[in-house]
Amino acid sequence: MKNARTTAIVIAFTLGVIAGYFIAIQTIRPQAQQAVLPEGSVLFLPDETYFGNLTYYLDLANESVYVVMYVVKYDSNEPNDPVNILLRKLVDLYSRGVDVKIVIDDQTYQSYPETISYLVESGVPVRLDESKAKTTHAKIVIIDGKYVFIGSHNWTESALTLNHEATLLVNSSKLAKLVLEYFNGIWSEGRPLK
C-alpha cells in the first residue's frame, strides 16, 4: 500500500513537471495565436513567432492595416518567401477595400526597388519618409486601430526566419490611438512615390 502511494506521488510529480515544462515552452516561445488576444493584453513574439502571429492578425483585418517599416525585401524569385506572403496579404486586403498604407525608409527604396514596384503596381499606397536625411528605423504594424505589432522585425527573410528578433503584439485601443497619431504624422509628411 505504501509503495503504491509513493508510486502515485512520483507519477503525479513527474506529470506535473512535464506539464510545467510544456507550459513554460509555450510562454517562452509562443506560436501563432489561435484566439484573438484580449483587450489590454501583450504577447511577446521572439524570432520566428512574429510571422505566424502577424499573418493570423492580417487575416482578421477588416478596416485598416498601417505599416511603418525600415526594410521590406520582396523577392520575385522566391514565391514562398515570408515577406512575399505578407505583401500578397496586404495587396489582397487592399483589393478587398481594407485601408492599407505603408511608409518605408529610403533604404528599401534604394536596396530593394522590386518591393516598391510590386506594391505600386498593385495599387497599394506607399510613401517614403519625409526626407533622405531622416532615417525611419521603426518597425510597426497597426491593424484595425487596436492591434499593434512593435519591435525589431524588419520584413526580410532573415529577420523573419533566422535572426534573433523581438516584437510585442499589444491589443490596446488606447496604445493604438497613440501609435496611429505617430503613423499619421509620418504618413502626412511622407514623400509620394511616382
Side-chain angles (χ1 to χ4, degrees):
M1 192 71 130
K2 210 174 194 186
N3 282 342
R5 209 180 310 159
T6 303
T7 302
I9 291 171
V10 168
I11 289 172
F13 176 77
T14 304
L15 290 174
V17 168
I18 291 169
Y21 170 78
F22 284 106
I23 290 168
I25 292 296
Q26 289 300 315
T27 302
I28 293 167
R29 294 192 144 314
Q31 300 302 311
Q33 284 291 102
Q34 298 304 310
V36 175
L37 194 65
E39 171 74 25
S41 297
V42 177
L43 184 63
F44 175 58
L45 303 174
D47 304 335
E48 69 278 354
T49 61
Y50 171 86
F51 175 74
N53 281 280
L54 181 56
T55 57
Y56 176 83
Y57 280 87
L58 287 173
D59 288 342
L60 298 177
N62 288 316
E63 299 167 19
S64 60
V65 178
Y66 303 130
V67 179
V68 179
M69 197 62 54
Y70 176 63
V71 174
V72 181
K73 184 183 178 188
Y74 175 78
D75 188 346
S76 61
N77 296 321
E78 289 189 51
N80 292 322
D81 180 310
V83 179
N84 294 0
I85 293 167
L86 293 175
L87 293 176
R88 280 195 304 268
K89 284 186 178 292
L90 293 180
V91 169
D92 290 345
L93 287 166
Y94 182 74
S95 68
R96 285 189 332 198
V98 173
D99 186 20
V100 177
K101 294 177 183 165
I102 304 169
V103 176
I104 56 165
D105 188 77
D106 286 271
Q107 183 65 35
T108 296
Y109 186 68
Q110 294 164 359
S111 300
Y112 308 112
E114 275 188 284
T115 302
I116 308 303
S117 297
Y118 175 75
L119 291 168
V120 169
E121 289 168 12
S122 299
V124 176
V126 182
R127 291 187 181 174
L128 295 170
D129 57 9
E130 69 247 33
S131 78
K132 289 182 182 182
K134 184 76 150 187
T135 299
T136 299
H137 203 251
K139 293 97 177 175
I140 300 170
V141 181
I142 311 156
I143 299 173
D144 288 346
K146 59 183 175 179
Y147 305 111
V148 177
F149 290 77
I150 187 164
S152 70
H153 287 84
N154 279 303
W155 284 9
T156 64
E157 186 173 15
S158 57
L160 298 176
T161 63
L162 300 173
N163 296 355
H164 283 302
E165 305 281 354
T167 293
L168 296 177
L169 163 57
V170 184
N171 178 355
S172 168
S173 300
K174 187 182 282 189
L175 175 68
K177 184 178 178 185
L178 295 172
V179 180
L180 276 169
E181 289 173 12
Y182 177 75
F183 172 85
N184 287 330
I186 295 172
W187 177 262
S188 66
E189 297 293 321
R191 294 169 284 154
L193 293 164
K194 297 171 183 155

